[in-house]
Amino acid sequence: DQSRYEFLGLLAGFNSYLKEQFCLPDISGNELALRFYLASGGLTGYVFNILRKTIWNVVDDGRTTIHFEDFDIGYQSMVGSEDQHQISPFSRNFKLDDGQAFEKAAAIGLRSDDYRKERRRIVI
């Protein structure tokens, strides 16, 4: 529970800061917070990188509005293919209730040899 509140607090802080310059959906709201968790495994560096790339894309387009789909583009361009879900957690086609998505999120950031060990342990 403590980690969850810290993660939501992080998202709320980013949301508050970004709202000063951009119009965007509430990233600390239940649905987007869950998507950010599934995309990052709760790792703040991943969250920051996804947000940074999303913002760069929006600014490069000359916009001040961040749309839901912009997070999908930011995620896909910032997260390594080894850490990506088969479908981006920011895709409208992503199933939030997929149990495998939570397993994948828990393995994000592990070294590939640790990930393989973890996968073997889960599968057995």
Side-chain angles (χ1 to χ4, degrees):
D1 282 344
Q2 182 64 30
S3 294
R4 181 175 186 252
Y5 291 123
E6 289 173 6
F7 187 72
L8 290 172
L10 172 80
L11 291 176
F14 278 132
N15 194 68
S16 177
Y17 179 75
L18 291 172
K19 283 207 177 265
E20 294 176 11
Q21 300 294 321
F22 299 95
C23 179
L24 72 154
D26 181 7
I27 62 174
S28 63
N30 287 338
E31 181 182 343
L32 267 176
L34 178 57
R35 290 176 187 274
F36 267 99
Y37 171 75
L38 293 172
S40 69
L43 300 174
T44 57
Y46 276 51
V47 173
F48 178 78
N49 287 336
I50 293 165
L51 288 172
R52 181 177 59 179
K53 184 59 178 170
T54 299
I55 292 163
W56 284 350
N57 291 341
V58 168
V59 169
D60 285 348
D61 287 348
R63 297 184 285 133
T64 58
T65 300
I66 299 173
H67 301 284
F68 181 84
E69 292 77 16
D70 293 317
F71 296 118
D72 184 30
I73 295 166
Y75 169 80
Q76 300 231 18
S77 63
M78 288 306 295
V79 178
S81 62
E82 191 171 290
D83 286 338
Q84 286 187 356
H85 294 270
Q86 193 168 6
I87 299 174
S88 162
F90 299 102
S91 168
R92 298 227 185 253
N93 296 327
F94 189 83
K95 294 182 174 137
L96 290 172
D97 59 352
D98 179 1
Q100 289 182 353
F102 287 93
E103 288 179 22
K104 178 69 177 169
I108 290 175
L110 292 178
R111 292 186 342 215
S112 61
D113 55 337
D114 290 342
Y115 176 73
R116 285 187 197 98
K117 289 177 193 172
E118 183 69 17
R119 287 297 293 166
R120 273 188 249 132
R121 189 181 63 75
I122 291 170
V123 172
I124 291 177

